Amino acid sequence: MTQALAFPVPNALGNIDQYVQAVNRYPLLTDEQEHSLALRLKHDNDLDAARQLVLSHLRLVVSIARNYLGYGLPHADLIQEGNVGLMKAVKRFDPDRGVRLVSFAMHWIKAEIHEYIVRNWRMVKIATTKAQRKLFFNLRSMKGDVASLSPEDVEGIAAKLGVKPEEVVEMETRFAGGEVAIDRSHDDDDDRAAPIDWLADESAEPVEVLEAAETERLHDEGLRGALASLDERSRAIVQRRWLVEDNPATLHELAAEYGVSAERIRQIEVKAMQKMKLALSA
């Protein structure tokens, strides 16, 4: 049996610096310890195991939240939202997948922080689609040190992120205009531009590299194998209906292309998804 770890419940802390110092003192888990705790949570609903998993990864949330300080939102609030994502990740974590919690939790932590930022910035009112949100969170790092984007830069970024060139220009204008958070009090006379120049290049983060590697592995070994089990037409239908980020094909579009009814396309799709599910669970 894995040796129990000392994870005392933290006392009330006076400020964010004390909190950061406190969470950095929690011990990191070995692979064996993490697996044992996750199994206890999964099979026995052991809340103490869940607590240890969360506490041992609080420093990860602090590290991720620090990368979003450029939005001018309180570090403590970013951490709080990230902790919510961490708890969701712990609840959904499956130790039998062979993935460390640190890479699995990245998505959930960032998703909660992103949602918090979106809710609290007027600047992102145009970011109503997945592609536009990707533009919001990536434009500054893609722009680099360039003072203003050239028409060629705009076209390139728009093509890479799947948005219109006008949206790239509008978002850049909003960044430069310095709009403020919507939760600002009505009597606040501070007209300073909101900072956003310090967005981190997430591609260089070790945890991001781990997450990307795991995603690639799952896609290669799982999804590719499941797709390979389908016939050519079924595979094409699934790919165009579910595996494209923007503008997936409709049943009627595919029906016209294959010369069958939309209902027939739906039947092929359902059968293909069932076959893929069986392949993935094998």
Side-chain angles (χ1 to χ4, degrees):
M1 180 178 294
T2 305
Q3 183 179 2
L5 299 174
F7 281 95
V9 177
N11 296 321
L13 301 174
N15 56 51
I16 187 64
D17 292 332
Q18 292 177 343
Y19 174 83
V20 172
Q21 292 174 11
V23 301
N24 284 337
R25 287 195 292 267
Y26 287 122
L28 296 174
L29 298 175
T30 65
D31 193 356
E32 179 187 0
Q33 290 168 336
E34 178 179 292
H35 189 260
S36 175
L37 290 169
L39 285 177
R40 284 165 50 189
L41 174 60
K42 178 180 179 180
H43 298 300
D44 304 325
N45 196 29
D46 189 329
L47 297 183
D48 183 66
R51 181 177 67 88
Q52 294 185 52
L53 289 169
V54 169
L55 293 178
S56 65
H57 288 79
L58 289 178
R59 68 178 70 193
L60 172 65
V61 177
V62 171
S63 176
I64 294 174
R66 188 178 293 119
N67 292 328
Y68 294 93
L69 290 175
Y71 292 98
L73 298 171
H75 193 192
D77 290 351
L78 294 170
I79 291 174
Q80 177 174 290
E81 296 298 323
N83 285 343
V84 172
L86 172 61
M87 288 185 284
K88 290 182 178 180
V90 168
K91 182 178 180 181
R92 294 165 172 81
F93 181 57
D94 184 353
D96 297 324
R97 296 290 295 274
V99 182
R100 290 299 300 268
L101 178 57
V102 65
S103 60
F104 180 77
M106 284 288 298
H107 165 77
W108 296 96
I109 295 170
K110 289 184 178 180
E112 290 297 322
I113 293 176
H114 285 188
E115 286 300 317
Y116 171 71
I117 293 173
V118 167
R119 290 195 308 267
N120 287 276
W121 274 84
R122 278 207 312 255
M123 185 184 296
V124 296
K125 63 186 178 183
I126 70 165
T128 55
T129 68
K130 183 177 180 180
Q132 289 171 336
R133 291 195 180 194
K134 183 185 292 187
L135 169 62
F136 172 72
F137 285 108
N138 288 277
L139 178 58
R140 186 61 64 178
S141 59
M142 293 180 69
K143 180 180 176 182
D145 298 328
V146 179
S148 60
L149 295 175
S150 67
E152 292 77 15
D153 294 331
V154 171
E155 292 287 345
I157 292 175
K160 185 172 183 179
L161 298 181
V163 297
K164 299 176 181 179
E166 311 88 78
E167 293 174 348
V168 176
V169 174
E170 182 175 358
M171 187 66 77
E172 183 188 24
T173 302
R174 289 179 179 274
F175 283 156
E179 293 189 74
V180 297
I182 61 175
D183 59 351
R184 168 175 289 196
S185 61
H186 295 295
D187 57 352
D188 193 343
D189 295 327
D190 188 354
D191 293 328
R192 291 176 300 173
I196 197 160
D197 295 323
W198 305 285
L199 268 176
D201 181 4
E202 297 175 355
S203 63
E205 297 178 9
V207 284
E208 185 71 17
V209 173
L210 286 172
E211 182 188 24
E214 175 60 18
T215 299
E216 182 177 357
R217 185 186 72 81
L218 291 175
H219 282 176
D220 288 346
E221 298 179 5
L223 187 58
R224 184 179 298 175
L227 286 171
S229 68
L230 304 177
D231 61 80
E232 184 177 351
R233 182 174 65 171
S234 298
R235 182 166 56 250
I237 290 173
V238 170
Q239 288 176 326
R240 294 177 60 186
R241 286 277 292 158
W242 296 100
L243 300 180
V244 293
E245 184 171 311
D246 300 304
N247 300 319
T250 66
L251 293 175
H252 291 285
E253 289 172 344
L254 291 171
E257 181 175 332
Y258 286 101
V260 296
S261 67
E263 175 60 21
R264 178 56 182 155
I265 294 294
R266 188 193 67 79
Q267 292 172 355
I268 294 173
E269 178 185 24
V270 170
K271 185 176 181 180
M273 296 296 281
Q274 291 173 342
K275 189 172 183 179
M276 289 180 63
K277 185 177 180 179
L278 289 174
L280 288 170
S281 62

